[in-house]
Each structure stands twice: as structure tokens, then as C-alpha cells.
Amino acid sequence: MRVSVASIVTLGVFGAGCGGGLTTVNQLPATVTLRIGQEVQLTSPEVMFRLDEVVQDSRCPVDAVCIQAGSVTLKFLVTHPSEPAGFELILDSDRPDGTTGVVLRVTGVTPVPRVGITIDPEDYRVSLEIAPLIAPA
């Protein structure tokens, strides 16, 4: 069941088109793929995430040799019904975050960097896994 839910959610995001777009997730865990400006709305807990910016992309280009793989830093706007103004969340691709009531983990970023080529912000696709925050036993 998990795979089919993730697939449906991912397809819904791609169907949203360029720029904005909203995908609703009713069941966790789920994986969504977002472009800059796209939003994902969770129904439980009630929270919305909008991918606003790729702040930094230090990934090693595929046509280079690097000492480290690097990472991508992303900026999201997070809104709750109780906080309509929202707040900014900075998420790094090599560290999950659980400060919003769910666990967010970047599972992929495309396109891959290449030496001498600047990636247009509109071309970025970010795969984001969203999972329930499990309280310690």
C-alpha cells in the first residue's frame, strides 16, 4: 500500500504543471516530488510545505572527482492553521528534520550538477519523504 500511495502523490505533483501547484497527502508515509513554488498539504497533522528556494547546491558534479559528495540546502515556507503567516524551514539534504511534527527527508534532487553548467532554479526537482514523527517508547 505504501508504494501505491507514494506513486499517486508523485503523479499528482507532476500533474500540477509549472510554477505553483498543490498536492494533498492524506496518509503518511508519502514521497512527493516538488518544483520551486509547489506545495504539499498534509491532512494529519494539518500542515503545508511550499518549496521556495534551492539555497545552496554543493553536490559534486557527475563529471568531476570530489572528496565529498556535497549536499543541497532548501528553503520551505511552513504553515499551520494556527499560524497563517507561516515560518521558514531550512532543510539540508543530508539531515532529516522533525521540527514540524513530521519527519522530512530529501531522497533525491535532480538534475545532477555538471562542471561549467549552471542549473536553472526552474529545473530543480526535489523528492521529499514525509513520515510520521514517532514518539520514543
Side-chain angles (χ1 to χ4, degrees):
M1 180 70 171
R2 177 180 177 196
V3 173
S4 63
V5 170
S7 299
I8 291 168
V9 171
T10 301
L11 288 173
V13 172
F14 280 121
C18 296
L22 174 67
T23 297
T24 301
V25 173
N26 296 311
Q27 183 179 356
L28 296 178
T31 300
V32 296
T33 301
L34 300 171
R35 297 177 180 189
I36 302 293
Q38 286 188 313
E39 299 172 315
V40 59
Q41 169 78 51
L42 307 183
T43 57
S44 181
E46 244 186 296
V47 62
M48 183 182 300
F49 301 95
R50 182 180 72 212
L51 177 58
D52 278 348
E53 180 182 355
V54 175
V55 176
Q56 178 180 323
D57 186 349
S58 66
R59 296 175 295 161
C60 181
V62 294
D63 49 355
V65 176
C66 303
I67 295 172
Q68 295 181 329
S71 64
V72 177
T73 304
L74 307 165
K75 181 170 73 171
F76 289 86
L77 175 67
V78 181
T79 54
H80 293 274
S82 61
E83 301 173 26
F87 61 92
E88 186 178 283
L89 171 71
I90 302 297
L91 180 64
D92 198 73
S93 63
D94 59 2
R95 282 190 307 271
D97 181 276
T99 60
T100 60
V102 294
V103 177
L104 301 176
R105 176 178 285 111
V106 176
T107 58
V109 178
T110 59
V112 294
R114 296 192 175 279
V115 173
I117 298 175
T118 302
I119 299 173
D120 186 322
E122 295 292 319
D123 293 338
Y124 277 102
R125 302 295 178 272
V126 176
S127 294
L128 185 67
E129 179 184 85
I130 307 167
L133 188 61
I134 300 171

